[in-house]
Amino acid sequence: MGSIWEIDFYSRPILDENQKKVWEVLVCESLTDIRAKPDALFRFAKYCPSTQVNSVWLRTALEEAIAQAGVTPVKFRFFRRQMNNMITKACQDLGIPAQPSRRTLALNLWLQQRMEEVYPQEPGYQAATNPSVRMEVPLPQRLPDALIGQQWAFVTLEAAAFADMPEWEIGFGEAFPLEIAGVKPDTKIPGVIVLSPRAMPLAGWMSGLELANIKFDSKETPQLLLETGVTESWILASFKDPQTIAEAKGFENAKQQANGVHFLAVQANPEVEAFAGFWLLQEPNLP
């Protein structure tokens, strides 16, 4: 798999000499491996005058970033839905797909750091809360019948066990270094394992969804939801028995104790040691 980049193009809490908001494009490489070093990933930042906010300026900036990096990403991820048209158009003009995604961990960390350390040092800085990213509450969809797992289970792994993840046999998957989430080696990381005789097609389908997180929704019918993209949600399972509901609540509690970190695994059956799919996830906390 080639390099995946994350992009944000939006106004910053800085005013220019005409008292207009200064815009900025941020581009950084995605964290896709448990061994990735955030400080070693490619980063590119450039301010944009408010009079030049358009897809042409953005495309030119992205071309500059690609030239600087010396590599072309296979795709871009972005989390701001209100910038969908402009970002998508600029990336299409470059011949690179752009996907709305809540899986922008590296970008979120960098943006938070710039909010605290960089922008306050700029002339024209205006101390204010950064505009929030309002998420629509998605209506959960049913998984396609051919992709529904026969069984599933809640499981846990110690954070230290993920150090061996590069040695695991995984068909489709993605991870990130646990230290960015402030997770200690002895922290219990909760997860969900889905078992299916069609494990590989299921994992392949999931790999194209921009997986965000798994959550237990206790409203009306208790459901285990897989959230993807920026607003999509899929029903992994529905249940009514008290024991499973208690396990689901335990999963959510363990997730909170692990700073939102959890995982999704897909296997053909419990006896195989290989994973058709394995994704390390974190409940998104978008700026």
Side-chain angles (χ1 to χ4, degrees):
M1 183 175 69
S3 178
I4 299 171
W5 287 6
E6 299 165 10
I7 178 174
D8 186 37
F9 187 43
Y10 209 65
S11 62
R12 303 304 183 214
I14 306 168
L15 298 182
D16 62 18
E17 60 274 12
N18 297 317
Q19 301 302 296
K20 299 292 186 182
K21 277 282 186 74
V22 172
W23 281 59
E24 181 186 47
V25 60
L26 293 180
V27 178
C28 67
E29 190 176 350
S30 280
L31 292 161
T32 57
D33 191 286
I34 199 81
R35 301 162 296 185
K37 303 296 182 185
D39 293 341
L41 298 177
F42 173 72
R43 286 178 172 179
F44 174 88
K46 186 173 184 177
Y47 288 127
C48 172
S50 60
T51 56
Q52 297 183 42
V53 175
N54 55 54
S55 63
V56 176
W57 186 96
L58 179 57
R59 184 197 68 209
T60 302
L62 294 178
E63 289 173 337
E64 187 178 336
I66 290 170
Q68 193 177 109
V71 296
T72 300
V74 295
K75 71 176 177 181
F76 285 104
R77 289 171 167 158
F78 65 95
F79 64 83
R80 292 194 198 271
R81 291 180 61 253
Q82 60 267 55
M83 298 305 297
N84 180 81
N85 292 345
M86 196 177 298
I87 290 177
T88 301
K89 176 68 166 62
C91 294
Q92 281 180 344
D93 289 346
L94 287 173
I96 303 171
Q99 292 183 288
S101 176
R102 280 170 278 192
R103 197 177 180 89
T104 53
L105 303 176
L107 181 59
N108 299 347
L109 285 172
W110 188 26
L111 188 52
Q112 185 61 43
Q113 180 259 326
R114 291 180 70 79
M115 286 291 178
E116 295 171 358
E117 302 174 13
V118 176
Y119 305 143
Q121 307 305 318
E122 297 282 3
Y125 172 69
Q126 301 290 305
T129 303
N130 192 45
S132 63
V133 180
R134 294 184 300 277
M135 292 293 180
E136 295 180 0
V137 178
L139 184 65
Q141 304 175 61
R142 285 189 58 202
L143 284 174
D145 290 341
L147 299 174
I148 296 175
Q150 285 190 328
Q151 293 178 288
W152 62 273
F154 291 114
V155 292
T156 58
L157 279 175
E158 275 202 353
F162 286 90
D164 297 329
M165 191 174 175
E167 300 169 17
W168 301 349
E169 185 179 338
I170 300 173
F172 298 91
E174 202 169 324
F176 53 86
L178 288 173
E179 55 264 29
I180 71 166
V183 172
K184 297 179 180 178
D186 61 349
T187 302
K188 298 288 188 183
I189 306 297
V192 173
I193 287 186
V194 178
L195 303 173
S196 171
R198 292 179 52 81
M200 197 58 75
L202 174 57
W205 177 78
M206 287 181 171
S207 72
L209 290 180
E210 290 295 321
L211 303 188
N213 62 281
I214 298 171
K215 68 185 296 184
F216 170 58
D217 183 1
S218 58
K219 299 173 185 175
E220 298 180 10
T221 302
Q223 296 175 323
L224 196 63
L225 304 178
L226 174 63
E227 300 195 328
T228 65
V230 171
T231 59
E232 293 81 26
S233 182
W234 306 85
I235 301 171
L236 281 180
S238 299
F239 33 80
K240 298 179 180 178
D241 63 289
Q243 181 179 340
T244 308
I245 292 174
E247 290 180 6
K249 291 179 178 177
F251 167 81
E252 281 294 327
N253 290 334
K255 195 168 66 173
Q256 291 180 15
Q257 295 299 315
N259 295 334
V261 177
H262 55 297
F263 65 88
L264 170 64
V266 180
Q267 285 183 302
N269 60 69
E271 284 70 44
V272 299
E273 295 186 2
F275 294 100
F278 197 106
W279 292 269
L280 196 55
L281 308 168
Q282 185 179 26
E283 192 93 36
N285 181 23
L286 297 176

